[in-house]
């Protein structure tokens, strides 16, 4: 778990939700968070903060035990290709914690969650259109080593 400070969380929350940041009240919304993180991997990366009330941006926190973190990790494992996000935790005064899950821009897009490709538009996450999906797959294949990009001997 990455070490975080409460001051950093407060600053992030003050910035609000965006293409690279989303708030979830609890890890009960881990499926929606995994969709968002897969979309962020396909774009510029970003973070999801659990324990923040969307709309009001209040730091509510949640009870966090080993099962909470295991359930979250298991949900994130459904993102393909597999990634290892950074997870951090900050303890609040009320015995509750804020969990932060961060991903960078993915190195092997397109990334899917449960077989579906997602896109981040502003502060919202949507399934990608069929045309956009085809474009991302074509770009991924285009980046791979191909015979026409090799040097010809002789």
């Amino acid at each position: 778990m990455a070490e975080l400070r409460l001051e950093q969380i407060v600053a992030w929350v003050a910035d609000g939700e965006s293409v690279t940041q989303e708030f979830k009240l609890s890890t009960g919304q881990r499926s929606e968070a995994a969709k968002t993180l897969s979309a962020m991997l396909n774009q510029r990366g970003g973070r999801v903060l659990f324990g923040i009330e969307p709309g009001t941006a209040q730091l509510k926190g949640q009870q966090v035990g080993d099962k909470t973190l295991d359930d979250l990790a298991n949900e994130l494992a459904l993102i393909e290709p597999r990634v290892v996000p950074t997870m951090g935790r900050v303890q609040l005064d009320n015995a509750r914690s804020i969990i932060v899950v961060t991903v960078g821009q993915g190195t092997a897009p397109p990334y899917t969650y449960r077989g579906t490709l997602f896109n981040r538009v502003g502060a919202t996450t949507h399934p990608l259109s069929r045309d956009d999906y085809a474009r991302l797959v074509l770009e991924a294949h285009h980046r791979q080593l191909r015979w026409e990009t090799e040097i010809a001997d002789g």
Side-chain angles (χ1 to χ4, degrees), residues 42 109-112 115-119 127-143:
N42 287 321
Y111 290 86
T112 62
T116 302
L117 198 61
F118 291 92
N119 188 32
L128 210 59
S129 72
R130 183 179 175 102
D131 289 342
D132 287 339
Y133 182 89
R135 180 185 49 79
L136 272 177
V137 170
L138 184 62
E139 287 173 3
H141 287 292
H142 185 72
R143 280 191 298 275

Side-chain angles (χ1 to χ4, degrees), residues 12 14 25 31 38 40 81-82 86 88 90 98 117 123 126 138:
W12 285 337
L25 186 56
S31 177
S38 71
M40 289 174 173
R82 296 288 295 261
T86 302
V90 172
I98 304 293
L117 198 61
H126 304 279
L138 184 62

Side-chain angles (χ1 to χ4, degrees), residues 22-39:
E22 183 162 284
F23 305 147
K24 296 294 181 196
L25 186 56
S26 76
T27 54
Q29 298 172 302
R30 62 187 170 274
S31 177
E32 291 81 10
K35 291 175 187 176
T36 294
L37 289 164
S38 71

Side-chain angles (χ1 to χ4, degrees), residues 7-85:
E7 294 81 19
Q8 181 62 65
I9 301 294
V10 170
W12 285 337
V13 170
D15 289 340
E17 291 185 302
S18 67
V19 170
T20 58
Q21 182 165 272
E22 183 162 284
F23 305 147
K24 296 294 181 196
L25 186 56
S26 76
T27 54
Q29 298 172 302
R30 62 187 170 274
S31 177
E32 291 81 10
K35 291 175 187 176
T36 294
L37 289 164
S38 71
M40 289 174 173
L41 282 160
N42 287 321
Q43 294 171 283
R44 299 185 317 216
R47 73 181 72 86
V48 174
L49 290 84
F50 294 93
I52 310 297
E53 187 172 349
T56 67
Q58 291 183 354
L59 281 70
K60 298 286 189 174
Q62 73 169 72
Q63 297 284 337
V64 177
D66 289 340
K67 182 170 176 11
T68 307
L69 298 175
D70 287 346
D71 289 347
L72 180 56
N74 288 334
E75 198 68 35
L76 297 176
L78 298 173
I79 295 173
E80 291 184 341
R82 296 288 295 261
V83 294
V84 180

